[in-house]
Amino acid sequence: MTRHLRLGISVSAALPTLVTALVVLTALAIGGVVSWTVLPAVLLALAVQAGVTFIRLGRITDGAVRQDDGANTV
């Protein structure tokens, strides 16, 4: 799996949560229910999630040992 593909998968895994969290938390922050400091914390958490996903995808694909002698190539 190429680095570009791994990056796309990791970003797309965090994107739905990011969009939902930004909409909901912005509305709650405007209403005064939560602090504005929650938004950067959520962005940081999702960046860490995307980074971990990127790393794990690299470990699975780059370090895997082929058991089928390359018969099932894409």
Side-chain angles (χ1 to χ4, degrees):
M1 184 179 298
T2 64
R3 184 177 186 158
H4 183 70
L5 184 59
R6 286 187 356 223
L7 183 63
I9 291 171
S10 61
V11 169
S12 65
L15 196 60
T17 307
L18 176 66
V19 171
T20 304
L22 287 179
V23 170
V24 170
L25 290 175
T26 302
L28 290 174
I30 289 172
V33 178
V34 296
S35 173
W36 281 101
T37 58
V38 173
L39 290 170
V42 169
L43 291 174
L44 178 63
L46 290 173
V48 169
Q49 175 193 352
V52 168
T53 303
F54 179 79
I55 291 169
R56 290 189 70 191
L57 283 172
R59 286 185 182 171
I60 291 171
T61 57
D62 294 342
V65 177
R66 295 200 62 111
Q67 298 295 328
D68 59 358
D69 296 327
N72 294 326
T73 58
V74 177

